[in-house]
Amino acid sequence: MSRKTKQPIQALKGFKDILPEDQKFWDFIYNRVYQTVLDYGFKKIDPPILEDAHIYMKGTGQHSDIVEKELYVFEDKGGGLVALRPEFTPGVVRSYIEHGMQNQPQPVKLFSFGPIFRHDNPQAGRFRQFYQFNCEIIGSDSPDMDSQLITMLSGLFKFFGLDTMIEINSIGCHECRPVYIKQLIKFLKKDSAKLCTTCQERIVKNPLRILDCKNKACAAATVQAPQIVDYLCEPCKKHFVKVLENIDDVNIIYSLNSRLVRGLDYYTRTVFEVFLNEEILTDRPEGAEKIALAGGGRLDGLAEILGGRPTPVVGVAGGVERVISAMRRLKIDVPDPGQADVFIAQLGEEAKKKCLKLFEDMRHCNIKVREAFAKNGLKAQLEVADKLGVKYTLILGQKEIMDGTIIVRDMSSGIQEIIVYENVVEEIKKRLLDSNCVKIYLDETQKKSAFDVSDSKAEIKEHKKERHHYNQDENDFSSKPVVEFNHPFENITADQDENEPKNYNTSEDVDFDLGSEEGALENPNDLDDDWTN
């Protein structure tokens, strides 16, 4: 018999529940990212969460922080060494090789979205399970593909309402980079005592990684370090110049960062990271690190490392939790796909029977409808309707059944009217269609997600300090006050209780909790940005 324990069951350290009230952010980001990558010709691929550990040891790099410190690796029951994926890229490239995608028209563009696992030290914004969106363009060495990914990311973050800055660098190729590394090691050994313990070990294992160490002493010791752009071979130099020209042509703001190297063995040539523009963060602590939302670059050596033939690759990964955290901090709201338009309130058994059918009729007509059939009193049901923020509440009591009518209450204006019960579905459809936020569709082929808005109307307004709200009527981000709800009991006329079917009015005052902004994700201020592609 198992022993009972007083210790409550909790999520594992570094793991977090995505609660119902937060799901709208995940849904919003997934839907918009997915629609964007489809526009750019990507196809979705879902590599397994569990892989042969050797693809990460070979691909990600034996001396990378991911493999040395963070990889969830264990022996399975068959004696094989397996690992939870710490990133998407090696698994995606492994799939490309395994399934002969090199025989398809090139390049092949692949998109993934899902959880990533790293046994990191949990702290603000750093979890052991977190989510990424990942894009890989495999089979083209054109600099146009590098700049296309950067352009796509820039537009995506603009749609999210985030003001971002691109930092970019080139780390050369297998021809010119060894020459640079030799000079870098020579420089580092002169003042190695000034480096942190980790970076002293990196001089031999992974010297490039020292350049982006967040330790202030290491940063100071490498201020005069040689810059890799001065050692680029002619092909790498031309490639980098073309990437910069392309993003200049589309007016993307970027800065050259000679210390940006990325920490993984498979990177070549272009590397970049996307940061939230610190100027719009009024609550940013002094001296705090910049917030990286995404990162990527060219991975031309990875396919060969994994046993395939030499194949150029460029990719990027974005941190979903980081994007959500930035949106929450800037008070950018998003549409809720579960937001209902209509609530049905009923009083009495006969009314409940009719409302059960009415609920199904509305649902089959693609009307977003909610109910509280487990509650009997009108007051309790109207509390639910008010918290749901519906546009209309339908009220059916004993009197309405006898008259063949139903009450329609506009929850924003408080105006209510009595209409014929048989016409209620068509009447509600008409009212919703007449509004600026169309949510009724003729058939499933015309039905779109609440997140899919016209790109032509998705211009992002300048950020201001007041609260931002996603204005679904205008398909735009704009500053507007939080919606204020009228008192839900004003002018209600319907049976208040099944035992008092003709008591039509109430003036009882009730306070309602409309929720708060508390519980937003913490600032994802990582000390190490290896987490991205």
Side-chain angles (χ1 to χ4, degrees):
M1 181 180 294
S2 62
R3 279 186 167 185
K4 292 185 178 180
T5 177
K6 294 182 180 179
Q7 182 70 27
I9 297 177
Q10 297 179 333
L12 294 173
K13 181 180 180 181
F15 291 77
K16 185 174 181 177
D17 298 311
I18 304 174
L19 299 175
E21 56 266 29
D22 293 323
Q23 291 289 344
K24 66 177 183 178
F25 283 94
W26 262 262
D27 293 340
F28 178 72
I29 289 172
Y30 174 80
N31 279 275
R32 188 57 199 180
V33 170
Y34 187 46
Q35 185 57 56
T36 298
V37 299
L38 288 180
D39 291 343
Y40 280 86
F42 286 82
K43 294 183 178 180
K44 193 167 187 287
I45 183 172
D46 289 318
I49 290 174
L50 199 65
E51 291 268 13
D52 185 327
H54 293 95
I55 76 165
Y56 301 116
M57 294 175 179
K58 288 181 179 180
T60 305
Q62 189 68 47
H63 299 302
S64 66
D65 286 349
I66 291 177
V67 171
E68 285 190 338
K69 304 175 184 178
E70 302 167 2
L71 191 65
Y72 275 95
V73 60
F74 53 92
E75 189 175 294
D76 66 8
K77 292 184 177 180
L81 198 63
V82 296
L84 295 176
R85 68 181 178 213
E87 57 168 330
F88 273 108
T89 303
V92 172
V93 175
R94 186 269 309 151
S95 182
Y96 171 91
I97 296 169
E98 180 177 344
H99 297 287
M101 295 186 203
Q102 62 268 30
N103 298 319
Q104 299 177 12
Q106 303 295 298
V108 174
K109 297 182 175 182
L110 299 173
F111 159 74
S112 303
F113 187 104
I116 299 296
F117 303 86
R118 294 188 187 175
H119 195 277
D120 201 357
N121 182 32
Q123 51 186 283
R126 303 188 76 174
F127 306 105
R128 291 179 174 176
Q129 175 181 314
F130 55 96
Y131 281 72
Q132 286 185 353
F133 58 87
N134 186 87
C135 298
E136 312 288 353
I137 301 177
I138 309 176
S140 172
D141 61 0
S142 169
D144 296 339
M145 297 298 95
D146 306 33
S147 52
Q148 184 181 80
L149 276 182
I150 294 171
T151 303
M152 182 181 76
L153 273 181
S154 179
L156 190 60
F157 288 128
K158 281 183 180 178
F159 183 87
F160 293 151
L162 301 177
D163 185 10
T164 57
M165 167 69 76
I166 309 289
E167 292 193 356
I168 190 168
N169 193 24
S170 175
I171 58 172
C173 64
H174 66 280
E175 294 291 339
C176 57
R177 189 163 55 194
V179 178
Y180 169 71
I181 290 178
K182 184 177 180 179
Q183 294 300 315
L184 179 62
I185 291 173
K186 184 178 178 181
F187 171 85
L188 294 171
K189 285 183 175 180
K190 291 179 182 179
D191 292 309
S192 60
K194 296 180 180 179
L195 302 175
C196 67
T197 304
T198 301
C199 284
Q200 289 177 13
E201 296 175 357
R202 284 173 172 167
I203 291 177
V204 177
K205 294 181 178 180
N206 194 353
L208 281 179
R209 203 70 181 87
I210 298 172
L211 294 176
D212 66 355
C213 178
K214 304 304 185 289
N215 185 294
K216 291 182 179 180
C218 295
T222 55
V223 168
Q224 299 299 323
Q227 297 187 9
I228 194 167
V229 291
D230 296 329
Y231 292 82
L232 295 180
C233 60
E234 197 59 29
C236 287
K237 190 179 298 183
K238 288 182 178 179
H239 185 279
F240 192 43
V241 168
K242 180 60 175 174
V243 172
L244 298 181
E245 288 177 348
N246 286 344
I247 58 179
D248 275 332
D249 289 342
V250 291
N251 300 316
I252 290 176
I253 299 174
Y254 66 89
S255 65
L256 298 175
N257 182 356
S258 61
R259 304 177 71 88
L260 178 62
V261 295
R262 312 290 291 152
L264 309 180
D265 287 359
Y266 50 58
Y267 276 104
T268 57
R269 292 187 171 176
T270 310
V271 291
F272 59 88
E273 289 183 351
V274 184
F275 293 93
L276 187 64
N277 194 327
E278 58 198 73
E279 294 177 359
I280 64 174
L281 293 178
T282 57
D283 61 340
R284 183 170 176 261
E286 186 177 352
E289 294 293 334
K290 292 176 294 186
I291 301 171
L293 302 177
R298 187 154 283 282
L299 332 163
D300 290 345
L302 180 57
E304 195 171 4
I305 290 173
L306 295 180
R309 64 191 185 204
T311 306
V313 184
V314 63
V316 66
V320 177
E321 283 87 349
R322 294 187 175 200
V323 174
I324 292 173
S325 178
M327 294 175 72
R328 296 288 290 266
R329 291 177 66 198
L330 293 169
K331 305 202 183 302
I332 298 171
D333 204 358
V334 302
D336 185 351
Q339 175 61 50
D341 294 315
V342 179
F343 184 87
I344 298 177
Q346 41 70 38
L347 288 166
E349 287 302 315
E350 289 302 314
K352 183 179 288 188
K353 288 179 182 179
K354 291 182 73 70
C355 286
L356 285 168
K357 183 177 184 305
L358 178 60
F359 178 86
E360 295 300 325
D361 290 343
M362 288 195 159
R363 195 177 63 81
H364 291 152
C365 289
N366 292 325
I367 298 173
K368 292 187 175 182
V369 59
R370 298 293 182 267
E371 45 70 34
F373 291 148
K375 300 182 183 296
N376 294 319
L378 180 61
K379 172 184 170 182
Q381 292 179 70
L382 291 177
E383 287 178 347
V384 175
D386 181 69
K387 289 180 179 179
L388 289 174
V390 295
K391 288 183 172 65
Y392 301 102
T393 295
L394 308 179
I395 305 168
L396 186 67
Q398 302 288 359
K399 182 178 184 303
E400 287 72 36
I401 290 177
M402 290 187 292
D403 294 344
T405 59
I406 191 169
I407 296 170
V408 179
R409 175 177 170 83
D410 187 313
M411 295 297 285
S412 62
S413 67
I415 297 172
Q416 58 190 48
E417 57 186 295
I418 299 173
I419 66 172
V420 176
Y421 178 84
E422 296 299 328
N423 298 338
V424 64
V425 173
E426 291 303 317
E427 178 63 25
I428 291 297
K429 286 173 67 174
K430 180 178 182 299
R431 293 188 185 202
L432 292 174
L433 282 167
D434 287 343
S435 71
N436 290 328
C437 185
V438 179
K439 291 188 177 181
I440 307 300
Y441 306 92
L442 298 179
D443 56 54
E444 289 299 315
T445 63
Q446 292 176 290
K447 189 173 181 180
K448 293 185 178 181
S449 166
F451 316 107
D452 296 336
V453 298
S454 171
D455 285 339
S456 63
K457 296 183 179 180
E459 180 182 1
I460 307 304
K461 302 293 185 183
E462 179 182 1
H463 288 290
K464 294 182 172 61
K465 291 182 181 179
E466 61 263 27
R467 177 182 177 132
H468 287 67
H469 187 87
Y470 187 87
N471 184 347
Q472 210 168 331
D473 292 341
E474 298 175 356
N475 288 336
D476 200 0
F477 282 99
S478 56
S479 299
K480 79 173 194 178
V482 181
V483 176
E484 296 180 358
F485 292 93
N486 290 345
H487 196 293
F489 297 156
E490 292 176 358
N491 302 322
I492 290 294
T493 58
D495 306 334
Q496 303 301 308
D497 189 279
E498 59 183 303
N499 297 321
E500 300 179 50
K502 294 186 179 181
N503 180 14
Y504 287 92
N505 295 287
T506 178
S507 59
E508 182 179 356
D509 291 330
V510 179
D511 292 329
F512 295 97
D513 179 10
L514 297 181
S516 70
E517 292 281 324
E518 294 181 3
L521 295 176
E522 295 177 329
N523 173 15
N525 179 22
D526 285 5
L527 297 178
D528 189 334
D529 284 317
D530 275 356
W531 58 275
T532 50
N533 189 315

